[in-house]
Amino acid sequence: MGWQWFHRLGSPRWFYEKTGVWLPYLAVVTALLMLTGLVWGLGFAPMDYKQGNSFRIIYIHVPVSFLALAGYYIMAIAGAVGLIWKMKLADMVMKSAAPIGAALTFLALISGAIWGKPTWGTYWVWDARITSMLVLFFLYVGVIALQASFTNQQAAAKASAVLSLVGMINIPIIYKSVDWWYTLHQPATIKFTEAPSMHPDMFYPLLVMIVGMYCFYALALILFTRAEIVQREKQTQWVKALGGAG
């Protein structure tokens, strides 16, 4: 058997065929989780005694922020796999992850600004957490720009992978910024080493939303990667057969 399973994972055709089976189930689970989390959090969670109802944006801001960071790891790991093992699928995943991550980071910045206005009295401050998130957005945009600036796909993948790996230094800075520096941004609500600081009636819908957002990210990444596979492999017989079947 050896490493055959690993190289099978790098096959665009295998990935396309397997994910075609998973997609309907993943879409249903994603919709149910996100709908449950939103209705529960926005409609039934108790009002915060300090922030009132403005705190409810946490059910959007925190999940998209989590995925903006986790998505960067996925993009960078895919880039590293592409550099080391020269797997085409890894390069496709890296390219597909960039616009999803950029959109999530942008949404995190916008939702944070909306939350900041009633909480801090301003939409934007050059806070350590917010500034490092802005840097994250620019890193995602940089990867997208590199992908578009090269006509050679291998050169684009290599340059993008290098930027992704270098940019990983920003992720622990984002995580620890509220601990390392004085910051207006509140400390982390969820920590792996401590119990959550939120009341369970507020925390459980947030947890559902976070899980739902992870499912949404997986769904989006699979769809983007499948589209990239079809685009790059359009001259292969199996993709032509798909077109004939459609």
Side-chain angles (χ1 to χ4, degrees), residues 87-193:
M87 289 186 177
K88 292 190 297 181
L89 181 61
D91 293 337
M92 297 177 194
V93 170
M94 177 183 61
K95 181 178 180 181
S96 300
I100 303 171
L104 289 170
T105 308
F106 182 75
L107 185 56
L109 290 168
I110 293 298
S111 58
I114 295 171
W115 193 4
K117 180 60 175 177
T119 305
W120 303 332
T122 181
Y123 288 109
W124 183 270
V125 291
W126 290 101
D127 176 272
R129 170 63 63 83
I130 300 172
T131 304
S132 52
M133 282 296 290
L134 182 62
V135 171
L136 180 67
F137 176 72
F138 289 143
L139 286 168
Y140 275 123
V141 171
V143 172
I144 296 170
L146 283 174
Q147 289 285 342
S149 62
F150 288 88
T151 54
N152 183 282
Q153 288 180 346
Q154 290 183 341
K158 184 175 181 179
S160 300
V162 170
L163 177 59
S164 298
L165 291 169
V166 171
M168 283 186 70
I169 193 173
N170 187 50
I171 304 300
I173 292 174
I174 295 173
Y175 275 122
K176 301 299 292 183
S177 57
V178 293
D179 300 320
W180 289 346
W181 298 289
Y182 172 77
T183 171
L184 283 175
H185 197 285
Q186 69 185 53
T189 303
I190 301 174
K191 295 182 179 180
F192 293 111
T193 57

Side-chain angles (χ1 to χ4, degrees), residues 217-235:
Y217 182 88
L219 180 65
L221 185 60
I222 288 171
L223 290 172
F224 273 61
T225 304
R226 284 166 62 89
E228 185 67 21
I229 288 171
V230 170
Q231 175 61 31
R232 293 198 192 190
E233 303 285 293
K234 59 186 176 183
Q235 298 303 323

Side-chain angles (χ1 to χ4, degrees), residues 53-82:
N53 281 316
S54 65
F55 98 98
R56 295 184 192 280
I57 202 167
I58 196 175
Y59 297 109
I60 297 173
H61 177 71
V62 170
V64 298
S65 298
F66 271 30
L67 264 297
L69 301 177
Y72 195 91
Y73 277 126
I74 291 171
M75 182 178 71
I77 291 170
V81 171

